[in-house]
């Protein structure tokens, strides 16, 4: 890992694990993109610069008309107002009302360790280049941060926009980065979805003009995820160059890829500029969220592994990232809100001896919450349901040597709650308008410090006073009626970003105050699955849909970006509560074991044999948990495109792997399913005990093997592969 400035070439080279990123300062003073891809030597990249495309672009002052063209340079941070008509990363309204901006190179610094972003999550560590840009007339500046790592093939990018002037200005756009890619022969893969069908993969060819994904709901990933895969059309899961961009951000975002007139592609994004204006007073600055850009020449799978290493080594809380995860029994699908202490104790008793080590009490434990209509915000126990209070059930669970987890929805308030009756202004919305409901609840205005103080104090007291070991932090609706009581009119359009800052402040003050508590993120399933949340919470409930068949797609696409250990995957009952499908327990377990596993069903209704079976599943999971925590994922069959879902997880030293293969539908005369294994060491010899196979990695990865599926629908098999 190193960052070098080659003075003779006016070029910065950033070398990370297997990758090089190069940019140079051109003759005008603009930082221009030269290269991002597999590691190269520092030979100068003049021969890669564009020539010729002058097509009626503006000429910066001092340059030869007709000789200089913006089209011949790919921007590192495009800006609006002078001669660049490509998607800008920043749009500034100066105090004079004009929106002219000309950010020229001023100086650079190389920092041995990346400074954290104050108030926002970001990658930890890494050598960092900071390029300082400045507009000499308006006195607006931008600092571009680039960080590289020696253990993952990503570059972290962000910008800080500064007002060096003595009057306020307004930012109408403040993205985190721009980056050029040569040519346009790319497929763009994005993730779309909704409740119980999160993160479906969609791929379209790049074209001239803009392709974008965004959120306008102050949350990251219900419908579209803050991710874009940019894959040359010849790239596959296993071969070829693959770029991926994701944002470490949990509020309204945008990512765009623009096919520009030079025939190249420019990627940019960050805070969504829709309904966004940020007032920057004299001397103030705005930090933008961090973008993570991964590259691999080992196909889409290689890009995912680069992201997984980055998330595990530098983003997810180091205290928990590699720690054995709680094996949870959650009462939600067992009881919904209809429970009492005896019922909960019976669930706990029923799993004794299975290895399940954590009981999570979900929604419905507080105030008079028997349905979705009330009590959010009133974090006081419902003494009718929980006789003896929370303490009694917590102590009972602890006496069984299990940990106790509790559900909260800290950002929410019900209209029918003491909190709302006392403080109606705490809820987002205009006092003069009726607010929209979602799930009969409102969102608290966490952009306000007093509201955050209330949440921090009440949630922290419940955690501390009751010895809670695990918190499931839910968020079941998005922000509408954007209006913050008390905030100046000309700052109302700062709301979405301030919501993110408020959320991160809550996380800091609740997570840090309870360093031994394990936090799980959740948002009506996986509607807020992003790097910002993963910075605080080591795992996230992936979807309310725990049907094994649907989960193959949800988990496959989630793994494009996020490591397996970050996905909570529960084994639930059949018929499945979301889609009524019936699948075998073994299939549900095999798919749920490709993540942080747990259970979510009424175990008091299971037979002794079924409970014993759970014990065996937990034991099996424990044997391969190390792979889920630290291994490399190799996806083999894509369930979006085929009747199969096959994944392998291989240890870093390639001495051990598991293979999970799943077939959706069989028929009277099923096809022979052959696969080539992936990720093994071709020189090592392996044993697959389940099939009595002994073969080299070379044989298994080239000649492959046939999977023996029982002749049933929704069926899976798991093989353990060990070096001998
Ligand atoms: C949505 C979550 O995804 C569920 O797991 C459950 O916690 C409910 N909310 C509770 O209201």
């Amino acid at each position: 890992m190193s960052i070098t400035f080659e003075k003779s070439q006016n070029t910065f080279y950033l070398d990370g694990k297997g990758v090089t990123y190069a940019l140079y300062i051109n003759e005008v003073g603009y930082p221009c993109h030269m290269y991002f891809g597999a590691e190269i030597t520092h030979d100068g990249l003049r021969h890669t610069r564009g020539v010729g495309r002058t097509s009626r672009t503006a000429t910066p002052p001092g340059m030869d008309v007709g000789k200089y063209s913006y089209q011949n340079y790919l921007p590192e941070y495009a800006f609006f107002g002078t001669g660049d008509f490509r998607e800008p990363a920043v749009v500034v309204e100066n105090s004079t009302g004009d929106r002219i901006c000309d950010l020229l190179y001023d100086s650079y610094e190389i920092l041995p360790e990346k400074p954290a972003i104050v108030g926002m999550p970001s990658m930890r560590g890494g050598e960092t280049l900071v390029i300082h840009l400045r507009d000499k007339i308006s006195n607006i500046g931008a600092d571009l941060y680039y960080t590289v790592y020696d253990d993952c093939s990503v570059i972290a990018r962000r910008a800080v926009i500064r007002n060096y002037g003595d009057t306020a200005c307004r930012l109408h756009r403040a993205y985190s980065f721009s980056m050029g890619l040569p040519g346009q022969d790319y497929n763009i893969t994005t993730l779309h979805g909704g409740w119980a069908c999160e993160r479906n993969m969609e791929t379209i060819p790049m074209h001239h003009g803009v392709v974008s994904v965004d959120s306008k709901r102050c949350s990251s990933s219900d419908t579209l995820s803050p991710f874009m895969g940019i894959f040359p059309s010849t790239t596959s899961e296993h071969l070829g160059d693959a770029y991926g961009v994701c944002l470490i951000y949990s509020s309204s975002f945008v990512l765009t890829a623009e096919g520009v007139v030079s025939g190249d592609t420019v990627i940019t994004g960050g805070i969504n500029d829709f309904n966004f204006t940020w007032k920057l007073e004299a001397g103030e600055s705005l930090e933008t969220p961090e973008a993570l850009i991964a590259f691999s020449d080992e196909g889409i799978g290689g890009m995912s592994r680069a992201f997984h290493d980055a998330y595990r080594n530098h983003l997810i809380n180091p205290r928990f990232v590699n720690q054995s995860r709680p094996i949870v029994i959650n009462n939600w699908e067992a009881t919904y809100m209809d429970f009492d202490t005896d019922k909960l104790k019976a669930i706990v008793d029923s799993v004794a001896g299975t290895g399940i080590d954590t009981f999570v009490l979900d929604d419905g434990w507080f105030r008079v919450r028997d349905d979705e209509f009330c009590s959010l915000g009133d974090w006081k126990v419902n003494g009718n349901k929980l006789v003896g209070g929370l303490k009694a059930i917590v102590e009972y669970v602890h006496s069984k040597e299990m940990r106790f987890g509790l559900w909260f929805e800290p950002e929410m308030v019900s209209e029918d709650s003491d909190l709302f009756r006392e403080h109606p202004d705490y809820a987002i919305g205009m006092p003069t308008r009726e607010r929209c409901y979602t799930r009969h609840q409102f969102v608290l205005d966490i952009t306000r410090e007093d509201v955050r103080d209330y949440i921090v104090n009440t949630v922290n007291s419940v955690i501390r006073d009751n010895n809670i070991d695990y918190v499931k932090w839910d968020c079941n609706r998005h922000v509408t009626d954007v209006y913050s009581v008390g905030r100046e009119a000309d700052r109302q359009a700062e709301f979405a970003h301030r919501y993110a800052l408020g959320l991160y402040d809550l996380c800091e003050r609740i997570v840090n105050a309870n360093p031994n508590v394990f936090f799980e993120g959740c948002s009506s399933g996986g509607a807020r699955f992003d790097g910002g949340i993963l910075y605080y919470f080591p795992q996230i409930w992936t979807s309310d849909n725990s049907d094994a068949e649907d989960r193959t797609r949800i988990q496959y696409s989630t793994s494009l970006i996020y490591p397996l250990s970050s996905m909570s995957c529960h084994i639930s009952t059949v018929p499945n509560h979301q889609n009524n499908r019936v699948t075998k327990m073994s299939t549900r377990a095999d798919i749920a074991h490709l993540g942080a596993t747990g259970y979510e069903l009424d175990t008091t209704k299971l037979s002794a044999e079924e409970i014993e079976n759970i014990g065996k599943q937990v034991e099996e999971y424990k044997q391969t948990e190390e792979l889920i925590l630290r291994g490399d994922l190799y996806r083999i069959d894509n369930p979006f495109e085929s009747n199969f879902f096959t994944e392998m997880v291989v240890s870093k030293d390639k001495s051990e792997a598991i293979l999970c293969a799943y077939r959706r539908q069989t028929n009277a005369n099923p096809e022979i399913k052959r696969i080539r294994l992936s990720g093994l060491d071709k020189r090592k010899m392996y044993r697959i005990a389940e099939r009595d196979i002994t073969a080299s990695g070379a044989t298994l990865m080239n000649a492959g093997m046939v999977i023996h599926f029982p002749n049933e629908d929704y069926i899976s098999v798991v093989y353990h592969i060990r070096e001998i």
Side-chain angles (χ1 to χ4, degrees):
M1 170 181 82
S2 67
I3 298 177
T4 332
F5 178 53
E6 300 285 355
K7 206 162 183 235
S8 60
Q9 303 165 18
N10 230 8
T11 299
F12 295 92
Y13 290 94
L14 298 94
D15 296 301
K17 184 189 173 196
V19 292
T20 299
Y21 192 106
L23 66 134
Y24 78 112
I25 309 299
N26 79 1
E27 54 271 47
V28 185
Y30 299 144
C32 300
H33 185 79
M34 295 194 102
Y35 177 76
F36 181 42
E39 196 165 8
I40 56 170
T41 46
H42 301 182
D43 307 318
L45 290 163
R46 285 190 88 84
H47 52 280
T48 66
R49 292 187 200 171
V51 283
R53 277 275 178 171
T54 49
S55 74
R56 292 203 192 184
T57 59
T59 309
M63 301 306 293
D64 273 359
V65 176
K67 280 205 180 142
Y68 184 90
S69 165
Y70 284 90
Q71 314 300 341
N72 291 336
Y73 302 91
L74 289 171
E76 281 295 312
Y77 201 63
F79 43 84
F80 177 77
T82 42
D84 199 342
F85 296 104
R86 294 167 294 193
E87 275 299 310
V90 63
V91 177
V92 188
E93 182 188 333
N94 299 308
S95 55
T96 37
D98 69 281
R99 296 186 180 199
I100 302 169
C101 184
D102 200 28
L103 291 171
L104 294 170
Y105 174 78
D106 181 71
S107 57
Y108 78 93
E109 288 170 83
I110 295 174
L111 311 173
E113 184 77 7
K114 180 166 73 98
I117 312 182
V118 181
M120 262 199 291
S122 63
M123 294 271 286
R124 299 173 167 93
E127 196 179 346
T128 300
L129 167 70
V130 190
I131 305 245
H132 301 285
L133 307 176
R134 193 145 173 175
D135 182 318
K136 293 188 184 111
I137 306 299
S138 68
N139 275 318
I140 296 302
D143 296 339
L144 310 186
Y145 281 72
Y146 300 79
T147 306
V148 275
Y149 301 89
D150 52 16
D151 58 0
C152 52
S153 310
V154 300
I155 180 146
R157 295 262 333 248
R158 68 185 167 100
V160 181
I161 302 163
R162 298 186 187 281
N163 182 356
Y164 294 108
D166 46 22
T167 47
C169 68
R170 286 172 179 284
L171 303 177
H172 294 286
R173 179 177 286 189
Y175 287 172
S176 304
F177 72 104
S178 305
M179 188 185 85
L181 286 173
Q184 279 170 13
D185 184 20
Y186 298 107
N187 285 323
I188 305 290
T189 295
T190 57
L191 302 174
H192 71 93
W195 177 78
C197 60
E198 291 89 342
R199 286 174 289 287
N200 298 281
M201 287 171 72
E202 191 163 52
T203 299
I204 54 162
M206 188 59 218
H207 52 68
H208 284 92
V210 173
V211 176
S212 74
V213 282
D214 82 338
S215 156
K216 300 179 182 72
R217 51 184 74 211
C218 298
S219 180
S220 62
S221 41
D222 183 28
T223 54
L224 291 162
S225 280
F227 163 76
M228 203 176 253
I230 306 116
F231 310 134
S233 60
T234 48
T235 292
S236 67
E237 176 66 24
H238 300 287
L239 294 172
D241 289 356
Y243 298 89
V245 186
C246 64
L247 296 169
I248 300 173
Y249 194 53
S250 315
S251 189
S252 303
F253 73 89
V254 66
L255 281 172
T256 68
E258 183 182 13
V260 296
V261 65
S262 61
D264 295 314
T265 302
V266 178
I267 317 292
T268 186
I271 299 169
N272 199 342
D273 58 338
F274 174 84
N275 196 20
F276 169 84
T277 303
W278 194 276
K279 188 172 177 189
L280 216 50
E281 297 286 358
E284 279 185 354
S285 58
L286 176 70
E287 296 261 12
T288 63
E290 194 158 69
L292 211 53
I293 313 175
F295 169 80
S296 174
D297 55 9
E298 289 178 19
I300 300 168
M303 173 208 72
S304 297
R305 289 187 290 280
F307 275 134
H308 298 174
D309 284 340
Y311 274 89
R312 290 184 298 199
N313 300 347
H314 299 281
L315 190 82
I316 298 173
N317 189 341
R319 196 181 177 85
F320 296 108
V321 66
N322 287 324
Q323 230 186 57
S324 181
R325 296 301 167 81
I327 308 242
V328 161
I329 172 81
N330 177 305
N331 76 309
W332 181 242
E333 289 202 4
T335 63
Y336 295 102
M337 297 189 206
D338 184 15
F339 57 81
D340 58 19
T341 310
D342 289 344
K343 178 68 192 176
L344 302 181
K345 284 183 176 172
I347 293 176
V348 172
D349 291 345
S350 68
V351 297
T354 57
I356 291 177
D357 55 27
T358 306
F359 172 76
V360 176
L361 174 55
D362 213 285
D363 194 356
W365 59 267
F366 45 95
R367 210 61 183 97
V368 287
R369 179 115 165 141
D370 291 325
D371 55 36
E372 296 173 353
F373 289 86
C374 69
S375 303
L376 290 170
D378 297 345
W379 302 113
K380 290 183 193 117
V381 72
N382 178 336
N384 292 332
K385 277 185 184 176
L386 296 177
V387 180
L390 268 174
K391 268 213 174 92
I393 182 68
V394 175
E395 275 167 16
Y396 187 78
V397 169
H398 284 167
S399 75
K400 302 285 167 184
E401 297 191 344
M402 288 170 74
R403 283 173 281 195
F404 188 91
L406 193 62
W407 180 96
F408 286 95
E409 202 177 356
E411 297 149 76
M412 300 295 153
V413 63
S414 305
E415 188 170 24
D416 180 4
S417 67
D418 294 341
L419 180 63
F420 188 78
R421 279 182 283 276
E422 276 166 43
H423 300 284
D425 60 306
Y426 275 19
I428 296 166
M430 296 204 67
T432 51
R433 282 179 189 271
E434 280 195 57
R435 299 172 178 87
C436 288
Y437 288 98
T438 306
R439 214 194 186 209
H440 323 287
Q441 64 196 57
F442 301 141
V443 187
L444 287 170
D445 185 356
I446 59 170
T447 69
R448 282 172 53 172
E449 202 174 347
D450 54 346
V451 177
R452 294 200 299 276
D453 288 347
Y454 169 81
I455 296 171
V456 169
N457 292 337
T458 47
V459 171
N460 275 346
S461 320
V462 176
I463 295 174
R464 270 191 224 126
D465 297 349
N466 297 285
N467 272 330
I468 306 298
D469 310 295
Y470 180 120
V471 166
K472 176 176 175 185
W473 183 310
D474 205 346
C475 168
N476 283 299
R477 67 157 287 179
H478 301 138
V479 174
T480 60
D481 307 280
V482 170
Y483 184 79
S484 182
V485 172
R487 192 168 299 285
E488 306 91 295
D490 65 349
R491 285 188 177 271
Q492 289 290 342
E494 297 177 3
F495 188 89
H497 184 54
R498 288 195 181 278
Y499 191 88
L501 296 178
L503 174 63
Y504 298 142
D505 181 57
L506 286 180
C507 291
E508 288 281 335
R509 291 163 66 194
I510 295 176
V511 173
N512 291 349
N514 300 285
N516 295 321
V517 173
F518 187 93
F519 283 81
E520 180 190 41
C522 176
S523 179
S524 286
R528 195 166 61 183
F529 207 126
D530 62 66
I533 297 296
L534 279 177
Y535 178 85
Y536 296 103
F537 309 158
Q539 68 191 52
I540 301 177
W541 180 223
T542 317
S543 175
D544 274 350
N545 185 346
S546 48
D547 165 53
E549 155 62 20
D550 287 353
R551 271 296 184 118
T552 60
R553 285 182 298 282
I554 295 169
Q555 293 176 203
Y556 185 97
S557 54
T558 304
S559 80
L560 275 186
I561 324 164
Y562 307 108
L564 297 186
S565 58
S566 68
M567 297 183 216
S568 299
C569 303
H570 290 179
I571 297 154
S572 59
T573 195
V574 287
N576 179 272
H577 286 198
Q578 283 71 43
N579 63 13
N580 286 316
R581 199 186 328 265
V582 175
T583 55
K584 281 178 103 162
M585 182 69 157
S586 60
T587 304
R588 282 174 271 151
D590 289 346
I591 303 302
H593 286 184
L594 291 167
T597 203
Y599 291 82
E600 182 142 352
L601 73 172
D602 190 349
T603 42
T604 64
K605 294 195 176 135
L606 299 184
S607 66
E609 199 190 336
E610 286 168 317
I611 292 286
E612 198 185 318
N613 201 14
I614 289 184
K616 285 188 194 144
Q617 288 168 356
V618 173
E619 210 176 294
E620 271 166 29
Y621 180 74
K622 286 276 173 200
Q623 277 169 27
T624 50
E625 192 189 10
E626 220 17 58
L627 289 172
I628 300 300
L629 290 172
R630 297 171 201 248
D632 284 329
L633 175 69
Y634 290 84
R635 291 178 296 252
I636 296 173
D637 285 308
N638 178 345
F640 289 96
E641 293 170 354
S642 77
N643 195 26
F644 300 94
F645 161 78
T646 309
E647 288 189 348
M648 283 182 67
V649 193
V650 184
S651 63
K652 288 274 178 200
D653 67 0
K654 299 192 182 289
S655 65
E656 199 191 345
I658 46 165
L659 181 152
C660 173
Y662 164 88
R663 182 176 62 199
R664 183 174 302 128
Q665 273 185 324
T666 189
N667 57 45
N669 189 4
E671 69 182 273
I672 294 168
K673 176 59 184 163
R674 297 178 197 283
I675 59 153
R676 287 171 64 176
L677 277 65
S678 213
L680 300 176
D681 182 334
K682 60 183 180 199
R683 287 156 311 199
K684 286 191 197 292
M685 288 300 293
Y686 294 96
R687 172 107 188 113
I688 308 179
E690 290 89 349
R691 293 287 302 282
D692 194 19
I693 296 171
T694 304
S696 67
T699 301
L700 293 168
M701 292 194 292
N702 290 302
M705 69 185 288
V706 169
I707 303 291
H708 290 175
F709 285 112
N711 197 10
E712 292 174 48
D713 287 343
Y714 313 122
I715 199 74
S716 59
V717 294
V718 170
Y719 300 147
H720 296 82
I721 302 152
R722 291 200 177 87
E723 184 187 356
I724 50 169

